[in-house]
Amino acid sequence: MIVLGLVLVLIATGAIVVAAMEPSATATDASFTILNYSFAPNHLEMFVAGAAVAAVLLIGIAMVNSGARRAAVRRRESRHNRHEAARLEEEKRALERRLEHEAPRQNHDRLVAGSHRRTEDHPA
């Protein structure tokens, strides 16, 4: 998005420079030659061309701005995710250390799955 916006800005800037640098641009009978094609626009055509160039320039600036804003949001989210992952990793380590310290003190006569039988289910 940023690259396309920069391309549009450069195109519009180039059109403005070409129009401003043309020696006959200030005369009433201005004629422009671009790529061996010569044309002499009237006042209305010059106004429309200027408006189109201005619109392209504004669209390009908006695209650059939008792309930069999106990139900033992505960087912020990425930074937040890295901090959250580090916090969760530290919490995991703390819980593992606590479990290691508590494990020797626990009573080891825990029930094992399948080893406990009820008398009413299995008569002796």
Side-chain angles (χ1 to χ4, degrees):
M1 189 93 136
I2 293 175
V3 174
L4 182 60
L6 286 174
V7 168
L8 289 176
V9 168
L10 289 175
I11 289 172
T13 304
I16 291 169
V17 168
V18 165
M21 299 304 285
E22 187 68 30
S24 63
T26 57
T28 57
D29 59 344
S31 68
F32 297 94
T33 304
I34 298 175
L35 299 173
N36 292 329
Y37 177 73
S38 182
F39 58 98
N42 61 22
H43 294 290
L44 180 62
E45 290 169 341
M46 279 297 278
F47 176 78
V48 171
V53 169
V56 169
L57 181 65
L58 291 176
I59 289 171
I61 291 171
M63 289 176 77
V64 169
N65 191 16
S66 173
R69 201 174 312 122
R70 284 183 187 173
V73 167
R74 268 188 264 126
R75 281 192 304 272
R76 192 176 313 121
E77 287 176 354
S78 177
R79 190 178 322 118
H80 173 73
N81 290 341
R82 281 195 309 269
H83 289 304
E84 185 69 14
R87 185 189 67 77
L88 290 174
E89 187 66 31
E90 183 57 38
E91 183 180 337
K92 175 185 161 202
R93 286 187 196 124
L95 289 172
E96 286 173 344
R97 282 187 297 243
R98 196 170 104 199
L99 184 62
E100 287 173 3
H101 291 312
E102 289 179 2
R105 287 185 260 157
Q106 287 180 350
N107 191 359
H108 290 290
D109 59 350
R110 289 184 269 166
L111 292 176
V112 177
S115 67
H116 179 24
R117 295 183 186 166
R118 287 196 222 164
T119 56
E120 58 268 5
D121 289 342
H122 301 285

